[in-house]
Amino acid sequence: MIKFVQNKTSEMIYAVPTKKGLGIEIWGTRDDLEYLYEIISKFWNNESFYHIKGYEDKNKLISSFSYEIRKASYGSRLTKDHSHYSIEEIPYVGLKISWPHIVFSIVALKYNMRMVDTNKGDIAMFLHLEYWIELAMENYDSAGTKKLLPYLNGAVNAGNEYLYLFMRHINASFFEMNGGKNSYRKLADLMRVSIYSSEEYYDLLIFLQSEAKKYNCNIEDLELINDDKIYEIEW
């Protein structure tokens, strides 16, 4: 006998740029974000891959994104009575995430997708999310987006064993610029540090190696200490 099950989709998830251009707001119903969280959960924190060097680093990166989605689904981040595209009163919940954080999260997720079985629903969700990220970029500033899109589409060295620390470094430098279109247009230059074999890539790697030696630990055990004041600005 043929059985039918509920078709769980997430067509209502969308993204808009934040006011000051520091990143995006991802919005959806509670069910939408729970579904997104469920899919992302497949691609990190799998004990079968802990022996792969760099896997736990990507866990840190993806888990920070996943955590925000989970908190947002509870209504603990952003809330609206309706979406940006409808006046129909349906509760929407959302979260804010910076450009570096969302780009690196997508890069890490796509890299980890190669390790586990995926279905068309998983792939459709990632394509849907990428579409809205790119649209939010374009809607904020097309000039900056032209330079930034390559990093969403393969320029970042996804195999970097210290991807999380590289993201934190770029993110802190980006926030120090205080937002706005000028900062957004300079982000692609900051992102050069993520390109394998670039001078910036090796400079940061050498710095991390020296810091690890100074504190007698592994690079992956380092934690970037930011001045929290740089994050106390309008998104």
Side-chain angles (χ1 to χ4, degrees):
M1 179 183 294
I2 297 175
K3 293 183 178 180
F4 292 89
V5 296
Q6 180 184 6
N7 179 22
K8 294 179 69 177
T9 59
S10 192
E11 296 298 333
M12 298 303 291
I13 281 180
Y14 66 90
V16 293
T18 62
K19 184 177 180 181
K20 293 289 185 178
L22 285 172
I24 58 174
E25 296 176 1
I26 298 175
W27 289 91
T29 65
R30 179 172 180 174
D31 286 343
D32 290 333
L33 293 191
E34 285 179 349
Y35 180 56
L36 177 60
Y37 177 81
E38 180 183 316
I39 288 180
I40 288 175
S41 296
K42 299 179 182 180
F43 303 107
W44 70 283
N45 201 29
N46 187 325
E47 294 183 2
S48 301
F49 304 119
Y50 277 8
H51 66 284
I52 299 175
K53 194 165 180 60
Y55 184 76
E56 289 194 51
D57 176 83
K58 291 180 180 60
N59 274 350
K60 288 182 182 178
L61 178 54
I62 298 171
S63 69
S64 58
F65 178 39
S66 180
Y67 175 81
E68 289 301 310
I69 295 171
R70 186 165 180 245
K71 296 295 286 187
S73 72
Y74 297 157
S76 300
R77 291 296 184 261
L78 306 173
T79 59
K80 283 175 66 72
D81 292 332
H82 52 80
S83 80
H84 289 71
Y85 302 101
S86 172
I87 60 174
E88 184 180 359
E89 289 200 9
I90 300 175
Y92 266 68
V93 290
L95 63 137
K96 294 177 182 177
I97 184 168
S98 70
W99 296 119
H101 195 174
I102 189 60
V103 169
F104 273 77
S105 294
I106 294 297
V107 166
L109 283 163
K110 288 164 74 173
Y111 185 85
N112 282 3
M113 279 180 74
R114 301 183 302 177
M115 302 181 190
V116 298
D117 292 333
T118 58
N119 57 49
K120 291 182 179 180
D122 301 332
I123 296 169
M125 182 70 256
F126 281 117
L127 289 174
H128 181 82
L129 187 57
E130 280 191 74
Y131 166 80
W132 280 101
I133 292 169
E134 292 180 9
L135 184 61
M137 286 178 169
E138 185 67 26
N139 286 341
Y140 182 67
D141 179 66
S142 58
T145 297
K146 186 176 181 179
K147 296 190 296 181
L148 192 57
L149 275 180
Y151 294 99
L152 191 62
N153 297 313
V156 175
N157 175 24
N160 184 353
E161 298 171 2
Y162 315 113
L163 202 62
Y164 175 70
L165 285 174
F166 273 59
M167 183 278 288
R168 290 288 305 278
H169 169 77
I170 295 169
N171 204 50
S173 299
F174 179 57
F175 269 77
E176 285 177 342
M177 293 180 177
N178 294 319
K181 290 189 177 180
N182 286 335
S183 298
Y184 181 73
R185 291 174 182 178
K186 294 176 182 177
L187 179 56
D189 295 329
L190 294 178
M191 291 288 291
R192 278 189 54 80
V193 76
S194 68
I195 301 175
Y196 182 72
S197 80
S198 70
E199 183 178 344
E200 293 87 347
Y201 180 92
Y202 283 114
D203 284 345
L204 181 55
L205 185 58
I206 290 170
F207 172 73
L208 292 175
Q209 290 170 341
S210 66
E211 289 294 288
K213 184 176 181 180
K214 179 166 71 175
Y215 293 109
N216 192 29
C217 66
N218 298 320
I219 291 177
E220 56 265 30
D221 297 324
L222 293 170
E223 178 64 33
L224 183 67
I225 300 176
N226 295 329
D227 181 355
D228 288 342
K229 289 183 180 179
I230 67 173
Y231 298 110
E232 295 174 0
I233 59 177
E234 188 178 354
W235 276 69

PDB file of all heavy atoms in Angstrom, residues 3 27 31 68 74 88 91 97 111 136 147 149 156 158 166 189 198:
ATOM      1  N   LYS A   3       1.922   4.854   0.967  1.00  0.00           N
ATOM      2  CA  LYS A   3       1.653   5.738   2.093  1.00  0.00           C
ATOM      3  C   LYS A   3       2.117   7.154   1.765  1.00  0.00           C
ATOM      4  O   LYS A   3       3.138   7.354   1.112  1.00  0.00           O
ATOM      5  CB  LYS A   3       2.370   5.234   3.350  1.00  0.00           C
ATOM      6  CG  LYS A   3       1.839   3.909   3.873  1.00  0.00           C
ATOM      7  CD  LYS A   3       2.551   3.537   5.156  1.00  0.00           C
ATOM      8  CE  LYS A   3       1.997   2.235   5.715  1.00  0.00           C
ATOM      9  NZ  LYS A   3       2.670   1.836   6.971  1.00  0.00           N
ATOM     10  N   TRP A  27      14.449  35.361   8.017  1.00  0.00           N
ATOM     11  CA  TRP A  27      13.096  35.316   8.574  1.00  0.00           C
ATOM     12  C   TRP A  27      12.330  34.090   8.081  1.00  0.00           C
ATOM     13  O   TRP A  27      12.570  33.582   6.993  1.00  0.00           O
ATOM     14  CB  TRP A  27      12.310  36.565   8.165  1.00  0.00           C
ATOM     15  CG  TRP A  27      12.752  37.823   8.827  1.00  0.00           C
ATOM     16  CD1 TRP A  27      13.684  38.708   8.372  1.00  0.00           C
ATOM     17  CD2 TRP A  27      12.279  38.340  10.071  1.00  0.00           C
ATOM     18  NE1 TRP A  27      13.820  39.740   9.253  1.00  0.00           N
ATOM     19  CE2 TRP A  27      12.974  39.544  10.311  1.00  0.00           C
ATOM     20  CE3 TRP A  27      11.346  37.902  11.010  1.00  0.00           C
ATOM     21  CZ2 TRP A  27      12.762  40.328  11.438  1.00  0.00           C
ATOM     22  CZ3 TRP A  27      11.124  38.673  12.131  1.00  0.00           C
ATOM     23  CH2 TRP A  27      11.827  39.868  12.354  1.00  0.00           C
ATOM     24  N   ASP A  31       7.899  27.140  12.213  1.00  0.00           N
ATOM     25  CA  ASP A  31       8.071  25.853  11.526  1.00  0.00           C
ATOM     26  C   ASP A  31       9.196  25.918  10.497  1.00  0.00           C
ATOM     27  O   ASP A  31       9.964  24.970  10.338  1.00  0.00           O
ATOM     28  CB  ASP A  31       6.772  25.428  10.846  1.00  0.00           C
ATOM     29  CG  ASP A  31       5.722  24.941  11.832  1.00  0.00           C
ATOM     30  OD1 ASP A  31       6.094  24.624  12.986  1.00  0.00           O
ATOM     31  OD2 ASP A  31       4.541  24.873  11.451  1.00  0.00           O
ATOM     32  N   GLU A  68      21.922  30.145  16.656  1.00  0.00           N
ATOM     33  CA  GLU A  68      21.107  31.334  16.414  1.00  0.00           C
ATOM     34  C   GLU A  68      19.771  30.974  15.774  1.00  0.00           C
ATOM     35  O   GLU A  68      18.743  31.571  16.092  1.00  0.00           O
ATOM     36  CB  GLU A  68      21.882  32.319  15.532  1.00  0.00           C
ATOM     37  CG  GLU A  68      23.041  32.998  16.233  1.00  0.00           C
ATOM     38  CD  GLU A  68      22.604  33.780  17.456  1.00  0.00           C
ATOM     39  OE1 GLU A  68      21.662  34.584  17.344  1.00  0.00           O
ATOM     40  OE2 GLU A  68      23.197  33.583  18.541  1.00  0.00           O
ATOM     41  N   TYR A  74      12.533  29.938  18.689  1.00  0.00           N
ATOM     42  CA  TYR A  74      11.806  30.092  19.956  1.00  0.00           C
ATOM     43  C   TYR A  74      11.242  31.504  20.131  1.00  0.00           C
ATOM     44  O   TYR A  74      10.555  31.786  21.106  1.00  0.00           O
ATOM     45  CB  TYR A  74      12.719  29.805  21.143  1.00  0.00           C
ATOM     46  CG  TYR A  74      13.254  28.394  21.233  1.00  0.00           C
ATOM     47  CD1 TYR A  74      14.417  28.117  21.942  1.00  0.00           C
ATOM     48  CD2 TYR A  74      12.600  27.329  20.628  1.00  0.00           C
ATOM     49  CE1 TYR A  74      14.913  26.813  22.041  1.00  0.00           C
ATOM     50  CE2 TYR A  74      13.091  26.037  20.714  1.00  0.00           C
ATOM     51  CZ  TYR A  74      14.248  25.787  21.422  1.00  0.00           C
ATOM     52  OH  TYR A  74      14.729  24.510  21.506  1.00  0.00           O
ATOM     53  N   GLU A  88      -0.583  39.979   5.783  1.00  0.00           N
ATOM     54  CA  GLU A  88      -1.340  38.957   6.496  1.00  0.00           C
ATOM     55  C   GLU A  88      -0.672  38.693   7.841  1.00  0.00           C
ATOM     56  O   GLU A  88       0.543  38.485   7.913  1.00  0.00           O
ATOM     57  CB  GLU A  88      -1.382  37.666   5.688  1.00  0.00           C
ATOM     58  CG  GLU A  88      -2.240  36.575   6.333  1.00  0.00           C
ATOM     59  CD  GLU A  88      -2.269  35.301   5.503  1.00  0.00           C
ATOM     60  OE1 GLU A  88      -1.632  35.282   4.431  1.00  0.00           O
ATOM     61  OE2 GLU A  88      -2.924  34.347   5.937  1.00  0.00           O
ATOM     62  N   PRO A  91       2.691  35.209  12.620  1.00  0.00           N
ATOM     63  CA  PRO A  91       3.907  35.468  13.390  1.00  0.00           C
ATOM     64  C   PRO A  91       5.160  34.990  12.652  1.00  0.00           C
ATOM     65  O   PRO A  91       5.213  33.852  12.181  1.00  0.00           O
ATOM     66  CB  PRO A  91       3.691  34.667  14.678  1.00  0.00           C
ATOM     67  CG  PRO A  91       2.204  34.514  14.788  1.00  0.00           C
ATOM     68  CD  PRO A  91       1.712  34.403  13.386  1.00  0.00           C
ATOM     69  N   ILE A  97      22.691  37.893  11.324  1.00  0.00           N
ATOM     70  CA  ILE A  97      23.986  37.236  11.199  1.00  0.00           C
ATOM     71  C   ILE A  97      24.843  38.056  10.233  1.00  0.00           C
ATOM     72  O   ILE A  97      24.338  38.557   9.224  1.00  0.00           O
ATOM     73  CB  ILE A  97      23.826  35.775  10.723  1.00  0.00           C
ATOM     74  CG1 ILE A  97      25.173  35.058  10.694  1.00  0.00           C
ATOM     75  CG2 ILE A  97      23.128  35.690   9.378  1.00  0.00           C
ATOM     76  CD1 ILE A  97      25.050  33.548  10.526  1.00  0.00           C
ATOM     77  N   TYR A 111      30.802  22.021   2.409  1.00  0.00           N
ATOM     78  CA  TYR A 111      31.965  21.129   2.505  1.00  0.00           C
ATOM     79  C   TYR A 111      31.579  19.841   3.235  1.00  0.00           C
ATOM     80  O   TYR A 111      31.903  18.732   2.786  1.00  0.00           O
ATOM     81  CB  TYR A 111      33.089  21.844   3.253  1.00  0.00           C
ATOM     82  CG  TYR A 111      34.387  21.068   3.300  1.00  0.00           C
ATOM     83  CD1 TYR A 111      35.301  21.142   2.249  1.00  0.00           C
ATOM     84  CD2 TYR A 111      34.710  20.279   4.401  1.00  0.00           C
ATOM     85  CE1 TYR A 111      36.498  20.443   2.296  1.00  0.00           C
ATOM     86  CE2 TYR A 111      35.906  19.570   4.443  1.00  0.00           C
ATOM     87  CZ  TYR A 111      36.799  19.662   3.392  1.00  0.00           C
ATOM     88  OH  TYR A 111      37.982  18.954   3.434  1.00  0.00           O
ATOM     89  N   ALA A 136      19.763  39.400  -0.919  1.00  0.00           N
ATOM     90  CA  ALA A 136      19.955  40.406   0.128  1.00  0.00           C
ATOM     91  C   ALA A 136      21.225  41.207  -0.123  1.00  0.00           C
ATOM     92  O   ALA A 136      21.258  42.430   0.071  1.00  0.00           O
ATOM     93  CB  ALA A 136      20.014  39.727   1.504  1.00  0.00           C
ATOM     94  N   LYS A 147      32.011  41.974  -5.906  1.00  0.00           N
ATOM     95  CA  LYS A 147      33.319  41.533  -5.417  1.00  0.00           C
ATOM     96  C   LYS A 147      33.195  40.443  -4.357  1.00  0.00           C
ATOM     97  O   LYS A 147      34.115  39.652  -4.164  1.00  0.00           O
ATOM     98  CB  LYS A 147      34.085  42.717  -4.839  1.00  0.00           C
ATOM     99  CG  LYS A 147      34.422  43.794  -5.843  1.00  0.00           C
ATOM    100  CD  LYS A 147      35.376  44.825  -5.266  1.00  0.00           C
ATOM    101  CE  LYS A 147      34.773  45.594  -4.100  1.00  0.00           C
ATOM    102  NZ  LYS A 147      35.711  46.612  -3.573  1.00  0.00           N
ATOM    103  N   LEU A 149      30.556  38.041  -4.031  1.00  0.00           N
ATOM    104  CA  LEU A 149      29.928  36.779  -4.434  1.00  0.00           C
ATOM    105  C   LEU A 149      30.898  35.616  -4.676  1.00  0.00           C
ATOM    106  O   LEU A 149      30.563  34.468  -4.357  1.00  0.00           O
ATOM    107  CB  LEU A 149      29.072  36.991  -5.688  1.00  0.00           C
ATOM    108  CG  LEU A 149      27.644  37.489  -5.461  1.00  0.00           C
ATOM    109  CD1 LEU A 149      26.922  37.655  -6.785  1.00  0.00           C
ATOM    110  CD2 LEU A 149      26.864  36.537  -4.550  1.00  0.00           C
ATOM    111  N   VAL A 156      36.599  30.790  -0.998  1.00  0.00           N
ATOM    112  CA  VAL A 156      37.064  30.462   0.355  1.00  0.00           C
ATOM    113  C   VAL A 156      37.639  29.050   0.368  1.00  0.00           C
ATOM    114  O   VAL A 156      37.038  28.122  -0.178  1.00  0.00           O
ATOM    115  CB  VAL A 156      35.908  30.562   1.378  1.00  0.00           C
ATOM    116  CG1 VAL A 156      36.381  30.097   2.765  1.00  0.00           C
ATOM    117  CG2 VAL A 156      35.377  31.982   1.451  1.00  0.00           C
ATOM    118  N   ALA A 158      37.621  26.013   1.719  1.00  0.00           N
ATOM    119  CA  ALA A 158      36.732  25.283   2.625  1.00  0.00           C
ATOM    120  C   ALA A 158      37.464  24.199   3.406  1.00  0.00           C
ATOM    121  O   ALA A 158      37.024  23.792   4.483  1.00  0.00           O
ATOM    122  CB  ALA A 158      35.581  24.668   1.837  1.00  0.00           C
ATOM    123  N   PHE A 166      39.597  31.893  11.225  1.00  0.00           N
ATOM    124  CA  PHE A 166      39.707  32.824  10.108  1.00  0.00           C
ATOM    125  C   PHE A 166      38.438  33.669  10.017  1.00  0.00           C
ATOM    126  O   PHE A 166      38.499  34.879   9.777  1.00  0.00           O
ATOM    127  CB  PHE A 166      39.942  32.054   8.806  1.00  0.00           C
ATOM    128  CG  PHE A 166      41.387  31.759   8.530  1.00  0.00           C
ATOM    129  CD1 PHE A 166      42.153  31.021   9.414  1.00  0.00           C
ATOM    130  CD2 PHE A 166      41.989  32.214   7.365  1.00  0.00           C
ATOM    131  CE1 PHE A 166      43.490  30.740   9.156  1.00  0.00           C
ATOM    132  CE2 PHE A 166      43.329  31.938   7.093  1.00  0.00           C
ATOM    133  CZ  PHE A 166      44.080  31.193   7.997  1.00  0.00           C
ATOM    134  N   ASP A 189      38.050  42.670   0.324  1.00  0.00           N
ATOM    135  CA  ASP A 189      39.493  42.761   0.586  1.00  0.00           C
ATOM    136  C   ASP A 189      39.846  42.025   1.878  1.00  0.00           C
ATOM    137  O   ASP A 189      40.870  41.342   1.954  1.00  0.00           O
ATOM    138  CB  ASP A 189      39.934  44.220   0.666  1.00  0.00           C
ATOM    139  CG  ASP A 189      39.779  44.953  -0.653  1.00  0.00           C
ATOM    140  OD1 ASP A 189      39.918  44.295  -1.711  1.00  0.00           O
ATOM    141  OD2 ASP A 189      39.520  46.165  -0.638  1.00  0.00           O
ATOM    142  N   SER A 198      47.057  32.848  -0.801  1.00  0.00           N
ATOM    143  CA  SER A 198      47.187  34.303  -0.812  1.00  0.00           C
ATOM    144  C   SER A 198      48.168  34.729   0.294  1.00  0.00           C
ATOM    145  O   SER A 198      48.382  34.021   1.274  1.00  0.00           O
ATOM    146  CB  SER A 198      45.829  34.985  -0.583  1.00  0.00           C
ATOM    147  OG  SER A 198      45.384  34.787   0.745  1.00  0.00           O
TER     148      SER A 198
END
